[in-house]
């Protein structure tokens, strides 16, 4: 079966991306509050920056966010290089994003 770009759904790149996202979905990390006491658990999870409005809200509100975090830039990279991205977020148990981490799949340096 092919996706909309004509790539096989079973391609090694897409299989690796799905396997990585499956591992990430199950990950949790402990975070500490500002005085160093153990806090509630946050989790690292795969996220859709194009469909989840929390991504854009985070980008717009964070003082260190750059154009490279913007969904339009991430989509441009995916289209240009025909490679899927992996987008991670650190999520508080209440659903608030604490951090974002966009990654691009590559075959190495040009």
């Amino acid at each position: 079966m092919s996706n909309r770009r004509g790539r096989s759904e079973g391609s090694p790149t897409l299989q690796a991306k799905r396997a990585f996202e499956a591992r990430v979905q199950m990950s949790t990390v402990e975070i500490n509050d500002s005085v160093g006491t153990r806090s509630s658990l946050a989790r690292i999870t795969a996220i859709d920056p194009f469909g989840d409005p929390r991504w854009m809200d985070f980008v717009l509100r964070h003082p260190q966010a750059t154009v490279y975090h913007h969904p339009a830039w991430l989509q441009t990279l995916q289209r240009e290089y025909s490679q899927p991205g992996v987008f991670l977020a650190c999520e508080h148990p209440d659903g608030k994003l604490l951090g974002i981490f966009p990654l691009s799949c590559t075959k190495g340096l040009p």
Side-chain angles (χ1 to χ4, degrees):
M1 175 185 241
S2 295
N3 64 16
R4 62 188 163 99
R5 289 198 171 114
R7 261 203 225 123
S8 168
E9 291 294 329
S11 75
T13 302
L14 290 175
Q15 289 174 355
K17 179 182 181 227
R18 287 189 186 114
F20 178 76
E21 287 178 344
R23 286 192 306 269
V24 169
Q25 285 290 0
M26 296 183 284
S27 299
T28 58
V29 293
E30 288 186 18
I31 57 172
N32 293 324
D33 63 18
S34 60
V35 293
T37 59
R38 189 170 283 179
S39 181
S40 55
L41 293 177
R43 72 182 187 137
I44 306 299
T45 186
I47 187 172
D48 176 12
F50 315 113
D52 190 328
R54 297 176 302 161
W55 184 284
M56 180 59 103
D57 184 57
F58 186 88
V59 170
L60 293 175
R61 294 178 185 271
H62 198 282
Q64 294 177 330
T66 69
V67 66
Y68 305 111
H69 296 100
H70 196 284
W73 175 255
L74 303 173
Q75 194 169 45
T76 300
L77 287 177
Q78 288 188 121
R79 282 190 198 143
E80 178 65 24
Y81 296 106
S82 299
Q83 294 289 332
V86 175
F87 309 103
L88 305 177
C90 181
E91 183 181 59
H92 191 272
D94 68 6
K96 181 180 177 184
L97 295 186
L98 304 173
I100 59 174
F101 191 41
L103 300 165
S104 293
C105 297
T106 66
K107 294 178 183 175
L109 297 173

